[in-house]
């Protein structure tokens, strides 16, 4: 009986030991599983942090790289939208044009309708991009000056003369005086621009019958033709002065007082003639005495 009970107790102890060992192993397994779960979560968390850092870095570099393009695009847009200074044509900036004070001398009568028409013409010619210099007697005359003196000086200081010929112009004494003055300074020249308005053929001045005129009553672009005529005159003026300067340079460059090139002036030595020795000595002696 005692032997059987001992065996049973030993078997029970072994079973208990095995059970405890099994439970300990299971606990270790659970611990290992938890450790693996923790490591896995930490690895995933670090990977997520690295991905976020990469995204942030990429977005920062893209923003930095995009910044110059945006600034360049804005600067280019500013460059395109920035207004440029309008440059004058060559004929308007030439020295030949500025030799006279006015480009166009506008002659008209004192009638109210003629004054308004002349003012509209001058306003058109002086406005950009035409930028012509015009003379109007009611605007540019000097107070206290003599009428004839002011008119004559302004006409002499003008390249062209635009005559606004109307029924009032034909009957105005001052207008007739200025017309004849302009004809006397340059008969049959291209410096006269007759502009007729509300004028019959029979009223047209006989002194101007050989001139082409612009009918403002029938031609809505009459002001434009006046501007083109002034520019054409200035272009021809510049060409003529260039040709004149070239001719002067060719005729006067390197010439002595007698019109002969200084380098080609003929001397006895250059002509191949010899001077006797005694004459040469006498000449040198006389030169020495003179000195």
């Amino acid at each position: 009986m005692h032997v059987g009970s001992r065996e049973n107790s030993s078997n029970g102890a072994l079973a208990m030991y095995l059970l405890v060992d099994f439970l300990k192993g299971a606990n270790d397994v659970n611990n290992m599983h938890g450790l693996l779960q923790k490591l896995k979560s930490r690895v995933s968390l670090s990977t997520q942090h690295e991905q976020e850092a990469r995204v942030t870095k990429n977005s920062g570099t893209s923003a930095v790289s995009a910044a110059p393009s945006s600034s360049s695009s804005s600067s280019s847009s500013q460059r395109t939208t920035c207004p440029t200074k309008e440059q004058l044509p060559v004929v308007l900036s030439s020295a030949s044009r500025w030799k006279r004070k006015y480009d166009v001398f506008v002659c008209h009568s004192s009638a109210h309708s003629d004054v308004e028409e002349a003012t509209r013409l001058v306003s058109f010619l002086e406005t950009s991009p035409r930028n012509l210099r015009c003379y109007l007697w009611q605007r540019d005359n000097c107070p206290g000056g003599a009428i004839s003196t002011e008119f004559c000086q302004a006409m002499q200081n003008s390249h062209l003369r635009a005559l606004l010929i109307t029924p009032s112009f034909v009957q105005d004494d001052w207008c007739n005086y200025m017309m004849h003055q302009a004809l006397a300074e340059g008969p049959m020249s291209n410096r006269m621009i007759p502009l007729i308005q509300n004028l019959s053929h029979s009223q047209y001045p006989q002194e101007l019958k050989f001139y082409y005129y612009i009918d403002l009553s029938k031609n809505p672009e009459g002001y434009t033709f006046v501007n083109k005529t002034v520019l054409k005159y200035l272009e021809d003026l510049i060409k003529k002065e260039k040709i004149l300067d070239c001719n002067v340079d060719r005729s006067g460059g390197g010439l002595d007082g007698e019109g002969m090139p200084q380098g080609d002036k003929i001397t006895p030595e250059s002509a191949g003639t010899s001077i006797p020795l005694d004459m040469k000595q006498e000449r040198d002696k006389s030169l020495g005495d003179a000195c």
Side-chain angles (χ1 to χ4, degrees):
M1 287 295 292
H2 292 286
V3 174
S5 60
R6 286 180 179 176
E7 290 179 354
N8 291 332
S9 62
S10 62
N11 290 333
L14 181 61
M16 287 294 294
Y17 177 79
L18 293 175
L19 179 61
V20 169
D21 187 50
F22 175 76
L23 292 175
K24 185 185 290 186
N27 191 17
D28 293 338
V29 170
N30 291 330
N31 292 334
M32 289 296 295
H33 180 71
L35 182 60
L36 290 175
Q37 289 292 335
K38 289 181 180 179
L39 290 174
K40 186 176 180 181
S41 62
R42 288 182 180 179
V43 169
S44 62
L45 185 61
S46 63
T47 304
Q48 184 178 0
H49 285 317
E50 289 180 359
Q51 291 179 353
E52 290 178 355
R54 288 178 184 176
V55 171
T56 305
K57 185 177 181 180
N58 292 333
S59 62
T61 54
S62 62
V64 170
S65 62
S69 62
S70 63
S71 62
S72 61
S73 62
S74 63
S75 61
S76 62
S77 64
Q78 289 178 357
R79 256 187 242 110
T80 54
T81 56
C82 181
T84 57
K85 293 184 178 179
E86 186 177 0
Q87 297 181 352
L88 291 176
V90 177
V91 292
L92 298 183
S93 58
S94 63
S96 302
R97 179 206 180 199
W98 292 97
K99 289 181 179 180
R100 297 182 185 270
K101 186 176 181 180
Y102 302 105
D103 298 315
V104 185
F105 174 93
V106 181
C107 182
H108 59 89
S109 71
S110 57
H112 182 70
S113 58
D114 291 0
V115 173
E116 289 183 347
E117 186 68 30
T119 303
R120 284 193 293 268
L121 172 62
V122 170
S123 177
F124 175 82
L125 296 177
E126 291 181 342
T127 304
S128 180
R130 292 163 290 275
N131 299 315
L132 296 180
R133 301 165 302 161
C134 300
Y135 171 84
L136 273 177
W137 64 266
Q138 73 270 15
R139 182 190 67 181
D140 300 319
N141 271 352
C142 180
I147 298 177
S148 58
T149 304
E150 293 291 328
F151 279 163
C152 292
Q153 288 180 353
M155 183 175 292
Q156 291 174 359
N157 286 327
S158 302
H159 287 288
L160 290 100
R161 295 81 184 259
L163 308 179
L164 183 58
I165 305 173
T166 62
S168 300
F169 180 95
V170 176
Q171 298 173 3
D172 192 294
D173 293 335
W174 278 114
C175 291
N176 283 275
Y177 171 78
M178 296 309 302
M179 179 183 67
H180 288 95
Q181 187 72 19
L183 290 171
E185 289 186 3
M188 301 305 298
S189 66
N190 59 346
R191 299 177 63 185
M192 190 91 67
I193 309 176
L195 306 172
I196 66 172
Q197 188 178 49
N198 303 323
L199 190 75
S200 62
H201 182 70
S202 60
Q203 292 177 302
Y204 188 73
Q206 293 296 317
E207 297 87 344
L208 303 177
K209 63 181 180 180
F210 294 109
Y211 286 86
Y212 285 107
Y213 60 82
I214 300 173
D215 193 346
L216 298 179
S217 303
K218 299 179 181 178
N219 196 338
E221 296 183 357
Y223 293 174
T224 304
F225 287 141
V226 175
N227 179 59
K228 291 181 179 179
T229 303
V230 177
L231 296 180
K232 181 64 170 59
Y233 173 83
L234 294 176
E235 289 177 359
D236 295 340
L237 180 64
I238 295 171
K239 291 178 182 178
K240 290 178 181 178
E241 291 196 354
K242 285 183 178 180
I243 295 173
L244 183 61
D245 293 339
C246 292
N247 293 335
V248 170
D249 292 339
R250 290 176 182 175
S251 61
L255 300 181
D256 61 359
E258 298 177 1
M260 183 179 293
Q262 296 177 357
D264 299 334
K265 193 172 183 179
I266 299 175
T267 61
E269 291 82 0
S270 64
T273 60
S274 60
I275 302 176
L277 182 60
D278 54 351
M279 293 180 63
K280 205 170 196 182
Q281 290 176 352
E282 290 180 359
R283 185 192 66 179
D284 295 340
K285 184 179 179 181
S286 61
L287 289 174
D289 295 341
C291 293

